Amino acid sequence: MSDNPFRALPSVAKVLASPALAPAHESHPAAAVTAQVRAALDRLRDRLKAGEPPSADVDTIAREALSALDAQSRPLLRSVINATGIVLHTNLGRSPLHEDAARAAYEAARGYLNLELDLATGKRSSRQSPIRAGLKAVTGAESATAVNNCAAATVIALRAIAAGKEVVVSRGQLVEIGGSFRIPDVMAVSGAALREVGTTNITRLSDYERAITPNTAALMRVHCSNYRVRGYTKAVELKDLVALGRKHNLLVIDDAGSGQVADLTPFGLPGEPLISASVSAGADLVLFSGDKLLGGPQCGLIVGKADLIQRIEKDPLMRAFRLDKMTLAALEATLLLHRDAKKAVRDIPTLRMLTTPLAELKRRTESFAEWVREIPGVTLGVWEDEAFVGGGSLPDVSVPTVVLGLSAAGLSESELAARLRAGTPAVMARVQDGRVLLDLRCVLERQEAELLGALTIACAEHSPS
């Protein structure tokens, strides 16, 4: 018998014939199964070259190939339980949709709908019509339209009304949003020329007025969504900017960033522009996001004067920026919820998470902690902390919250957090002061059982025997 260990390796054909690989033949292409078997055998050869004594058992190799095939076929995008307390977590997709909105998107995706068809007349219609009706109802604007994000809304609005002309903006409002997108760059893409006025901390109405030339098309206010300038500072109120625009026959654009349709100031969340207030102040166009404080799908919303909206929708870029049928369906459902402001705050997940009373969070966390205490090897505590909105919204406003801090025997806090992220479902938590912190503010009640199961699995693997 040869001393060469490589001769003991089974052939590809023998592994393919293993009963352990039968499920793979049912659910994967033959070429993919063969490729994974070859890869498993190559890994075995590498271990042999390294002097390891690996098993050359046919079924073991087959199971390894099957595991690799299953891992390869799993989607990279999967459900995550957000236990960080960050409500608008950009890396986790920001706003979870209300069930009505999610169902509307699902129904739109799985069949046909009257996307651009008037069912009463049988003639072609605009896909913007349902969105226009919803936005007009909740903002008081003359008209409205929607594109795929707020940066696109800024580009197409400026392109439609100010291409080749100047737009006056305060130097203190030249923000950079996530992904290194800067207002000056966005304006340059639109074809409008930026005219900066004032200083970083002080801009007066007179600064705007001195900057006006025959080539000026618009005055623009940009809300500083992701930062604040404090101390010795001064900015021009929108109503005053509108008055100046009327005086010089110029348009006024309010880029409200996250924006609010439902007023959150009664819940201790000030700072974001109320869209209806911007419309009432006389802004010709107001731009804001649909996936932040509106609590809907990712999109950019434009409300304002009907003739300007019409110009925007006629721009050739509109086809490139327009929303798909699933997003439109989810957005319309979200806007229908906003027609009743109290219902919107109570039912839309993002708004409900932001406004959940501390006492309710404490009760829920302490109740959940009783279940977690049953997991062997776990020590935990419950205490008050702070959470932040995230997503470029309300950057300096913290929300009182309650966290469950835990540790597991035999695991560091970073190892436990990593195991939670790798589980099914994946769990995102915070790591702080030697513990893993779970904030139930963003954990949907229907996810609590799954969260408990994920914790049990992550901790049990290293609990003392």
Side-chain angles (χ1 to χ4, degrees), residues 79 81 368 424-425 427 446-456:
S79 179
I81 294 177
F368 185 74
T424 302
V427 177
R446 60 178 170 81
Q447 295 177 320
E448 285 189 12
E450 291 181 293
L451 176 57
L452 182 63
L455 286 169
T456 302

Side-chain angles (χ1 to χ4, degrees), residues 40-59:
L41 287 168
D42 286 342
R43 288 191 292 271
L44 200 53
R45 291 188 185 93
D46 290 340
R47 292 198 291 272
L48 284 170
K49 289 175 185 176
E52 298 178 23
S55 168
D57 177 75
V58 170
D59 287 345

Side-chain angles (χ1 to χ4, degrees), residues 187-250:
M187 293 185 73
V189 168
S190 74
L194 169 65
R195 181 69 183 272
E196 300 177 34
V197 296
T199 63
T200 302
N201 60 321
I202 301 286
T203 302
R204 299 182 175 87
L205 191 63
S206 57
D207 294 321
Y208 286 94
E209 189 154 29
R210 281 196 299 270
I212 294 171
T213 70
N215 198 40
T216 303
L219 310 176
M220 186 172 179
R221 182 181 78 161
V222 181
H223 179 58
C224 304
S225 294
N226 55 1
Y227 75 97
R228 295 286 185 266
V229 178
R230 297 193 178 280
Y232 182 53
T233 180
K234 183 178 178 62
V236 177
E237 295 287 335
L238 181 61
K239 62 181 178 61
D240 297 324
L241 206 59
V242 168
L244 182 63
R246 299 292 179 268
K247 177 182 175 182
H248 293 275
N249 198 28
L250 297 172

Side-chain angles (χ1 to χ4, degrees), residues 167-179:
V167 177
V168 184
V169 184
S170 168
R171 190 168 276 113
Q173 296 173 2
L174 299 180
V175 304
E176 177 178 315
I177 58 177

Side-chain angles (χ1 to χ4, degrees), residues 27-350:
S27 55
H28 299 283
V33 177
T34 302
Q36 286 302 333
V37 168
R38 292 185 188 281
L41 287 168
D42 286 342
R43 288 191 292 271
L44 200 53
R45 291 188 185 93
D46 290 340
R47 292 198 291 272
L48 284 170
K49 289 175 185 176
E52 298 178 23
S55 168
D57 177 75
V58 170
D59 287 345
T60 300
I61 298 168
R63 283 192 291 270
E64 183 180 334
L66 179 60
S67 177
L69 281 164
D70 289 343
Q72 190 179 59
S73 63
R74 281 197 294 268
L76 293 178
L77 288 175
R78 58 196 185 99
S79 179
V80 174
I81 294 177
N82 177 13
T84 66
I86 301 171
V87 179
L88 296 175
H89 200 307
T90 299
N91 296 343
L92 299 182
R94 294 184 181 155
S95 295
L97 295 178
H98 185 276
E99 289 294 333
D100 288 356
R103 192 176 303 111
Y106 170 71
E107 292 296 339
R110 69 194 292 258
Y112 296 100
L113 75 166
N114 58 322
L115 180 65
E116 293 181 351
L117 178 71
D118 185 331
L119 292 175
T121 64
K123 295 181 179 179
R124 185 183 178 92
S125 64
S126 169
R127 67 175 59 201
Q128 298 288 351
S129 296
I131 305 310
R132 195 174 348 269
L135 285 169
K136 286 169 63 177
V138 301
T139 67
E142 283 183 15
S143 190
T145 194
V147 291
N148 51 28
N149 58 38
C150 205
T154 304
V155 169
I156 199 165
L158 290 172
R159 174 185 159 93
I161 69 173
K165 294 193 173 184
E166 292 182 346
V167 177
V168 184
V169 184
S170 168
R171 190 168 276 113
Q173 296 173 2
L174 299 180
V175 304
E176 177 178 315
I177 58 177
S180 300
F181 290 98
R182 299 179 173 184
I183 286 294
D185 297 337
V186 170
M187 293 185 73
V189 168
S190 74
L194 169 65
R195 181 69 183 272
E196 300 177 34
V197 296
T199 63
T200 302
N201 60 321
I202 301 286
T203 302
R204 299 182 175 87
L205 191 63
S206 57
D207 294 321
Y208 286 94
E209 189 154 29
R210 281 196 299 270
I212 294 171
T213 70
N215 198 40
T216 303
L219 310 176
M220 186 172 179
R221 182 181 78 161
V222 181
H223 179 58
C224 304
S225 294
N226 55 1
Y227 75 97
R228 295 286 185 266
V229 178
R230 297 193 178 280
Y232 182 53
T233 180
K234 183 178 178 62
V236 177
E237 295 287 335
L238 181 61
K239 62 181 178 61
D240 297 324
L241 206 59
V242 168
L244 182 63
R246 299 292 179 268
K247 177 182 175 182
H248 293 275
N249 198 28
L250 297 172
L251 299 175
V252 174
I253 304 168
D254 186 22
D255 188 336
S258 300
Q260 291 185 90
V261 170
D263 188 3
L264 299 179
T265 53
F267 301 94
L269 296 168
E272 292 298 297
L274 191 62
I275 303 305
S276 58
S278 295
V279 171
S280 296
D284 297 288
L285 290 174
V286 185
L287 323 175
F288 61 107
S289 295
D291 59 333
K292 294 181 181 177
L293 295 181
L294 187 77
Q298 178 177 310
C299 55
L301 306 176
I302 310 172
V303 301
K305 298 294 189 292
D307 61 324
L308 299 179
I309 297 296
Q310 192 174 41
R311 283 167 61 181
I312 289 168
E313 290 186 347
K314 287 182 177 179
D315 190 284
L317 268 185
M318 191 67 189
R319 187 170 182 84
F321 288 169
R322 71 184 185 179
L323 298 179
D324 64 89
K325 64 178 182 177
M326 290 84 78
T327 307
L328 284 165
L331 178 57
E332 183 188 20
T334 304
L335 291 170
L336 286 171
L337 291 166
H338 272 282
R339 295 197 183 200
D340 182 335
K342 289 183 179 179
K343 180 179 175 63
V345 172
R346 185 187 70 231
D347 292 348
I348 293 176
T350 296

